[in-house]
């Protein structure tokens, strides 16, 4: 008679053979071990052998047989005090019912039993595996609340033990949960980490599921192309695994009859426990075994038929989904192209009249010095520039969200900026009979360094919003210095009104794009983008915004920004933007521009700063005059009739003329840079612009040419 140690050795050998894919030999050794375990009446060894037999059938995708033997194993395991084996058997039954039979309710019941046993044993890895399986099952059926605590335990366990075998599925489950919570950035990061780790581990099974769940997430986000790509990767990996499974199944087809015979032998071994009844019940046992085998074979055949139908249906559904995704992706690309063209056109059409407003304002301030002392023209210029910035940000809000906008580093007066905002919004305040007050902490230096235009845009939106929802009241702008670290001054800005207030249910909505809240019977105009842009601009500053409000009593918006105070740097910044406009040398400039107002503004701007200026209305006129007159630099508009600025520049270069050509355009710089360089242009200035910027660029390119000569 074999000893317990010898039987354990046989069980270990059968387990290793199963794990290496030698199922036939594993089952044969398990039969010997089972006979010996029954002979010594050791329930724990009998349960372990049945569990190993069930695991073999599970690997062979004969799930009904696997369930049959797992249940036998559970009967003998329940006769022992070994909670570890009880936990494993319940967990494996949960796996088959949830992920193979799709009977989630029954599978989850087995998982819960497994968790009860895992709490009694010191091995937390078994508890982690069961928690992972039950979390996945809950998430598969959309029960995220029920699986939340199980996921929490898994994250704690991984942070403590760093189990690489489950990390891919864990990252995927975190992605599924954050997607359900609409925490899309975190979900996206989790899915990408799961895919990366799956690729590194060459774990096709977990990697395929990661691609599938990521595809569902991307489809939810309307990122159709990426969703399609991930679904295609899932299909490819699934097909590879299916091919591998078919190969394994093909290798074992020859031993199926022997395995069935082996099953009958195992049942026969069990009945050998009571030898005195063997002769009396032999015929019954044979008939019963035949019926059981026939029943199992029928179940197996039925399972194969159902699985084949399910696979064909799944493939058909995937084909339809792929076709729909391809169509959706094509439509998305077309819409994206139309959007880009629309943005480009609107950008150009809005910047052109704004150039006229800013330019004429500059001319009036230059020609009538006495008007510079009053607030009106300065406010007009400031408002025009603010409108330009607002137009840019509205038209390029996608760039803000993708953090493609870089903050500028300019010196400005905090008191001047706040007073300019106050003056610019005075007409709105008067309309609703409101008063704007400004209170600045005396500890704050007046000269600061930072992006004053973005900062002003934040305040303009918040103060304008407060004025719009306040009548016969007051809007306060309060600035306090919170702390100083070296040269950095942390300032808190509060915009306080005593207007209608915001309902608690609406506070979370006000920063969404195109959302307007307020009493429905009142007409509040606007795009619904103001507060959304404020939030995104503050994110560029590394800050956030807080809101406190009470209906009928008013609202307070508060945010914190760090600005630098450094007199040395301030002096350097100011000196960097200075241009020597007193030079006695007169440069000859050719302006190619078809808009009459722009011609006047550009010509006067150049001439009042000692430049000689000649204006032509189109590219043909420019080519003709260049044959007769020498110029130091050409300012070229892009959007012109007859031939545009690109074609004109190309023909100038074909003539061998090397005069610097600077594009003076209302198009976005990023849209035309590549084509401008290709045709031989030297630089780009976007209208409207500061005269100082124009002269600095002109002088720089003229000096480069003269230094070469």
């Amino acid at each position: 008679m074999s000893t317990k140690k010898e039987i354990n050795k046989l069980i270990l050998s059968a387990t290793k053979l199963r794990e290496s894919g030698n199922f036939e030999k594993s089952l044969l050794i398990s039969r010997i071990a089972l006979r010996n375990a029954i002979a010594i009446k050791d329930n724990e060894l009998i349960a372990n052998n049945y569990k190993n037999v069930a695991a073999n059938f599970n690997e062979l995708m004969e799930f009904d047989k696997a369930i049959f033997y797992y249940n036998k194993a559970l009967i003998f395991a329940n006769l022992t005090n070994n909670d570890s084996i009880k936990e494993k058997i319940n967990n494996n039954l949960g796996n088959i019912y949830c992920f193979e039979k799709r009977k989630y309710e029954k599978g989850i019941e087995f998982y819960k039993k497994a968790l009860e046993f895992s709490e009694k044993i010191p091995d937390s890895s078994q508890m982690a595996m069961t928690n992972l399986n039950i979390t996945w099952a809950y998430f598969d059926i959309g029960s995220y609340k029920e699986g939340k605590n199980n996921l929490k335990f898994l994250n704690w366990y991984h942070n403590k033990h760093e189990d690489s075998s489950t990390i891919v599925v864990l990252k995927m489950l975190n992605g599924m949960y954050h997607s359900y919570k609409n925490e899309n950035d975190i979900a996206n990061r989790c899915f990408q980490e799961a895919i990366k780790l799956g690729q590194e581990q060459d774990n096709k099974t977990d990697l395929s599921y990661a691609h599938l769940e990521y595809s569902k997430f991307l489809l939810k986000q309307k990122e159709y192309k990426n969703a399609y790509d991930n679904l295609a990767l899932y299909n490819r990996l699934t097909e590879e695994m299916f091919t591998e499974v078919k190969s394994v199944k093909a290798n074992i087809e020859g031993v199926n009859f022997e395995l069935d015979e082996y099953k009958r032998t195992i049942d026969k071994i069990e009945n050998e426990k009571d030898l005195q009844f063997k002769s009396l019940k032999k015929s019954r046992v044979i008939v019963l075994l035949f019926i059981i085998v026939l029943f199992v074979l029928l179940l197996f055949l039925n399972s194969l038929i159902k699985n084949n139908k399910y696979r064909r249906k799944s493939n058909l559904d995937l084909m339809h989904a792929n076709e729909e995704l391809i169509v959706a992706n094509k439509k998305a690309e077309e819409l994206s192209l139309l959007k880009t063209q629309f943005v480009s056109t609107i950008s150009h059409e809005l910047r052109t009249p704004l150039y006229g407003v800013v330019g004429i304002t500059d001319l009036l301030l230059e020609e009538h010095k006495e008007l510079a002392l009053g607030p009106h023209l300065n406010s007009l210029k400031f408002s025009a520039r603010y409108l330009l910035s607002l137009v840019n940000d509205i038209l390029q809000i996608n760039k803000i969200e993708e953090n493609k906008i870089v903050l500028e580093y300019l010196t400005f007066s905090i008191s001047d900026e706040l007073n300019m905002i106050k003056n610019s919004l005075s007409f709105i305040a008067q309309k609703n009979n409101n008063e704007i007050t400004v209170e600045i902490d005396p500890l704050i230096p007046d000269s600061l360094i930072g992006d004053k235009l973005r900062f002003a845009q934040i305040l303009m939106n918040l103060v304008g919003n407060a004025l719009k929802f306040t009548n016969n009241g007051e809007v306060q702008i309060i600035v306090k210095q919170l702390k100083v670290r070296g040269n950095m001054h942390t300032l808190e800005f509060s915009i306080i009104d005593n207007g209608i207030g915001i309902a608690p249910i609406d506070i979370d909505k006000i920063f969404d794009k195109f959302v307007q809240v307020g009493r429905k019977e009142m007409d509040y105009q606007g795009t619904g983008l103001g507060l959304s842009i404020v939030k995104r601009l503050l994110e560029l500053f590394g800050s956030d915004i807080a809101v406190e409000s009470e209906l009928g009593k008013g609202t307070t918006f508060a945010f914190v920004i760090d600005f630098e105070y450094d007199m040395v740097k301030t002096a350097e910044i100011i000196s960097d933007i200075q241009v020597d406009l007193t030079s006695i040398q007169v440069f000859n400039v050719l302006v190619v521009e078809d808009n009459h107002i722009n011609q006047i503004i550009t010509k006067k701007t150049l001439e009042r700063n000692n430049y000689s200026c000649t204006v032509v209305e189109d590219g043909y006129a420019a080519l003709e005059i260049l044959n007769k007159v020498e110029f130091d630099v050409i300012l070229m508009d892009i959007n012109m009739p007859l031939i545009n600025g690109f074609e004109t520049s190309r023909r100038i270069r074909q003539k061998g003329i090397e005069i610097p050509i600077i594009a003076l355009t209302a198009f976005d710089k990023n849209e035309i840079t590549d084509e401008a360089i290709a045709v031989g242009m030297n630089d780009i200035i976007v209208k409207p612009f500061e005269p100082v910027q124009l002269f600095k660029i002109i002088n720089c390119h003229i000096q480069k040419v003269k230094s070469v000569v």
Side-chain angles (χ1 to χ4, degrees):
M1 185 176 292
S2 299
T3 65
K4 187 173 181 178
K5 183 176 180 180
E6 291 172 338
I7 297 172
N8 273 321
K9 189 174 180 180
L10 288 172
I11 293 172
L12 180 62
S13 175
T15 301
K16 289 182 178 179
L17 287 166
R18 172 175 56 80
E19 291 174 346
S20 66
N22 194 340
F23 305 111
E24 179 185 6
K25 195 168 183 180
S26 174
L27 286 167
L28 292 175
I29 292 176
S30 293
R31 179 175 63 184
I32 297 170
L34 181 60
R35 176 183 285 120
N36 294 337
I38 292 173
I40 66 173
K41 298 181 180 180
D42 191 314
N43 291 328
E44 184 173 326
L45 292 176
I46 295 171
N48 268 318
N49 272 287
Y50 273 131
K51 182 170 73 69
N52 199 29
V53 171
N56 272 282
F57 284 114
N58 189 36
E59 292 288 338
L60 294 171
M61 299 178 70
E62 298 193 31
F63 302 116
D64 290 324
K65 289 183 180 181
I67 291 172
F68 178 81
Y69 285 110
Y70 274 132
N71 281 321
K72 279 187 171 292
L74 197 57
I75 291 170
F76 286 95
N78 287 333
L79 299 174
T80 72
N81 294 321
N82 190 330
D83 293 322
S84 178
I85 190 172
K86 295 175 190 175
E87 189 278 341
K88 290 178 181 176
I89 295 170
N90 278 286
N91 181 70
N92 292 343
L93 281 167
N95 288 342
I96 294 177
Y97 278 109
C98 283
F99 301 113
E100 305 301 340
K101 293 292 188 178
R102 301 294 176 182
K103 296 180 179 179
Y104 287 96
E105 185 175 353
K106 190 168 184 178
I108 289 172
E109 285 301 316
F110 279 110
Y111 283 143
K112 289 180 177 179
K113 291 178 183 177
L115 284 175
E116 291 175 7
F117 289 117
S118 67
E119 291 172 358
K120 301 177 183 180
I121 57 178
D123 186 3
S124 60
S125 63
Q126 288 185 230
M127 183 182 292
M129 182 59 70
T130 305
N131 271 286
L132 183 127
N133 290 332
I134 196 170
T135 302
W136 198 344
Y138 274 131
F139 286 7
D140 257 1
I141 59 176
S143 299
Y144 291 93
K145 292 182 179 178
E146 287 79 0
K148 176 182 177 182
N149 289 331
N150 302 95
L151 181 62
K152 185 177 180 181
F153 172 85
L154 286 172
N155 286 322
W156 169 85
Y157 175 84
H158 178 74
N159 290 334
K160 187 175 181 181
H161 299 280
E162 296 184 358
D163 186 358
S164 61
S165 65
T166 60
I167 184 61
V168 176
V169 175
L170 177 58
K171 291 290 185 182
M172 180 193 76
L173 292 174
N174 275 290
M176 293 169 71
Y177 181 75
H178 288 296
S179 173
Y180 156 73
K181 296 285 288 182
N182 290 322
E183 296 169 351
N184 296 324
D185 290 340
I186 301 175
N188 187 67
R189 184 171 66 250
C190 289
F191 281 125
Q192 290 184 354
E193 289 174 357
I195 291 170
K196 181 181 177 182
L197 291 167
Q199 291 169 342
E200 291 173 356
Q201 296 178 5
D202 196 23
N203 187 334
K204 290 184 179 179
T205 301
D206 293 347
L207 179 59
S208 69
Y209 286 121
H211 278 300
L212 177 63
E213 295 301 332
Y214 191 32
S215 172
K216 295 177 183 176
F217 166 75
L218 291 170
L219 191 61
K220 177 183 172 184
Q221 301 303 311
K222 299 184 179 180
E223 295 186 25
Y224 301 113
K225 186 179 186 304
N226 286 339
Y228 171 78
D229 291 340
N230 277 273
L231 188 59
L233 288 169
Y234 165 74
N235 290 339
R236 179 174 63 78
L237 289 168
T238 304
E239 185 63 30
E240 289 176 5
M241 291 187 290
F242 182 73
T243 302
E244 291 172 4
V245 171
K246 285 199 298 185
S247 175
V248 172
K249 293 285 284 184
N251 291 335
I252 65 166
E253 282 298 324
V255 300
N256 274 343
F257 287 104
E258 186 173 347
L259 294 179
D260 289 332
E261 179 61 29
Y262 163 64
K263 176 186 176 303
R264 290 193 293 271
T265 303
I266 291 174
D267 289 330
K268 184 177 179 182
I269 289 171
E270 280 188 59
N271 288 282
E272 288 177 355
K273 290 186 297 181
D274 197 357
L275 295 175
Q276 59 184 332
F277 296 105
K278 181 177 178 181
S279 59
L280 297 174
K281 297 184 178 180
K282 186 176 180 180
S283 59
R284 288 184 184 178
V285 170
I286 293 172
V287 172
L288 180 62
L289 289 175
F290 176 78
I291 293 173
I292 291 173
V293 171
L294 182 62
F295 178 70
V296 171
L297 286 174
L298 289 172
L299 286 176
F300 176 66
L301 181 61
N302 183 57
S303 177
L304 282 179
I305 294 171
K306 285 184 177 180
N307 287 339
N308 186 54
K309 287 182 178 179
Y310 177 76
R311 186 172 61 83
R312 289 170 61 187
K313 183 179 183 301
S314 297
N315 288 340
L316 189 62
D317 290 343
L318 285 172
M319 288 176 61
H320 289 320
N322 288 343
E323 291 173 358
E324 291 175 359
L325 282 172
I326 291 171
V327 173
N329 182 55
K330 186 176 180 181
K331 289 182 178 179
E333 289 176 350
E334 292 174 354
L335 288 173
S336 178
L337 180 61
L338 288 173
K339 177 184 175 183
T340 301
Q341 293 172 346
F342 173 76
V343 167
S344 177
T345 302
I346 291 296
S347 175
H348 180 270
E349 293 302 318
L350 289 174
R351 285 195 184 105
T352 298
L354 282 174
Y355 175 55
V357 174
V358 173
I360 290 172
T361 305
D362 284 336
L363 291 177
L364 288 172
L365 288 170
E366 181 70 24
E367 294 175 0
H368 301 277
K369 302 291 186 183
E370 70 280 3
L371 295 177
L373 300 176
H376 304 299
L377 277 181
N378 284 320
S379 295
L380 175 62
K381 181 179 178 181
F382 180 86
S383 297
R385 291 206 169 279
Y386 163 72
L387 179 58
L388 173 66
S389 176
L390 182 60
V391 166
N392 289 341
D393 285 341
I394 293 173
L395 296 177
Q396 301 178 35
I397 195 163
N398 289 332
K399 291 184 179 180
I400 298 176
E401 293 173 346
E402 295 171 8
N403 293 323
K404 291 184 178 179
I405 292 179
V406 179
L407 296 179
E408 296 179 351
Y409 201 64
L410 304 169
T411 185
F412 68 97
S413 166
I414 185 73
S415 59
D416 286 351
E417 287 298 318
L418 295 180
N419 286 320
M420 187 68 73
I421 290 168
K422 175 182 177 180
N423 293 333
S424 298
L425 296 175
S426 60
F427 71 97
I428 299 178
Q430 292 171 4
K431 178 182 176 183
N432 291 346
N433 196 26
N434 293 322
E435 181 183 0
I436 305 174
T437 61
V438 177
E439 181 182 327
I440 303 175
D441 191 334
L443 295 175
I444 301 173
D446 190 58
S447 182
L448 299 172
I449 299 173
D451 193 324
K452 66 175 183 178
L453 191 59
R454 303 294 176 190
F455 162 67
Q457 186 174 344
I458 291 169
L459 281 179
M460 287 283 282
N461 272 310
L462 291 174
V463 176
N465 193 70
L467 290 169
K468 184 168 64 173
F469 291 96
T470 303
N471 286 292
N472 303 313
E474 180 183 15
V475 176
Q476 302 176 64
I477 307 173
I478 300 175
V479 190
K480 295 180 181 179
Q481 180 169 279
L482 298 183
K483 58 184 175 181
V484 179
R485 293 169 297 171
N487 291 336
M488 299 305 296
H489 289 246
T490 301
L491 308 184
E492 181 186 52
F493 297 85
S494 301
I495 292 82
I496 306 170
D497 68 64
N498 53 3
I500 66 172
I502 305 170
I505 195 174
D506 291 327
I507 286 181
D508 291 336
K509 304 176 185 176
I510 60 176
F511 295 106
D512 293 338
K513 290 185 292 186
F514 309 113
V515 171
Q516 294 172 304
V517 298
R519 290 180 293 179
K520 294 182 179 179
E521 67 271 16
M522 301 179 71
D523 180 20
Y524 297 122
Q525 297 180 354
T527 63
L529 278 173
L531 293 180
S532 176
I533 292 175
V534 165
K535 186 173 179 64
R536 284 158 176 77
L537 289 177
L538 282 172
E539 288 172 358
L540 295 178
F541 281 100
S543 182
D544 200 358
I545 189 164
V547 187
E548 292 182 3
S549 186
E550 186 175 351
L551 282 176
K553 293 188 177 181
T555 304
T556 298
F557 288 92
F559 59 90
V560 175
I561 295 182
D562 289 337
F563 288 114
E564 186 175 359
Y565 171 67
D566 190 327
M567 289 309 297
V568 175
K569 284 188 178 180
T570 298
E572 290 176 356
I573 292 172
I574 293 172
S575 63
D576 285 344
I577 64 173
Q578 296 302 313
V579 177
D580 182 9
L581 303 179
T582 61
S583 174
I584 60 173
Q585 186 175 5
V586 177
F587 294 127
N588 197 11
V589 182
L590 174 63
V591 176
V592 187
E593 169 67 69
D594 66 305
N595 186 285
H596 183 64
I597 294 176
N598 291 352
Q599 290 176 0
I600 295 172
I601 294 169
T602 305
K603 181 177 177 66
K604 286 203 172 189
T605 301
L606 291 167
E607 288 180 344
R608 74 169 182 260
N609 288 282
N610 300 325
Y611 288 78
S612 174
C613 179
T614 302
V615 178
V616 295
E617 292 189 349
D618 57 65
Y620 288 120
L623 292 168
E624 183 178 347
I625 198 170
L626 284 170
N627 292 327
K628 305 173 185 177
V629 183
E630 287 190 8
F631 294 93
D632 295 297
V633 67
I634 301 171
L635 300 181
M636 180 74 68
D637 187 24
I638 298 298
N639 192 20
M640 296 186 297
L642 303 180
I643 57 172
N644 62 31
F646 292 133
E647 181 60 27
T648 304
S649 299
R650 184 182 290 109
R651 296 191 185 187
I652 290 172
R653 295 301 184 225
Q654 288 173 351
K655 287 175 172 285
I657 299 173
E658 298 300 327
I659 301 171
I661 303 175
I662 299 171
L664 202 61
T665 178
F667 283 110
D668 187 273
K669 189 173 182 178
N670 293 330
E671 296 177 9
I672 65 170
T673 297
D674 292 340
E675 191 169 359
I677 293 172
V679 301
M681 288 183 164
N682 300 86
D683 214 327
I684 300 169
I685 299 177
V686 178
K687 297 182 287 191
F689 51 81
E690 291 287 350
V692 170
Q693 177 195 17
L694 173 66
F695 300 134
K696 183 177 180 180
I697 292 174
I698 288 176
N699 289 356
C700 176
H701 286 289
I702 292 175
Q703 293 303 326
K704 281 183 183 178
V705 173
K706 292 188 179 296
S707 64
V708 173
V709 177

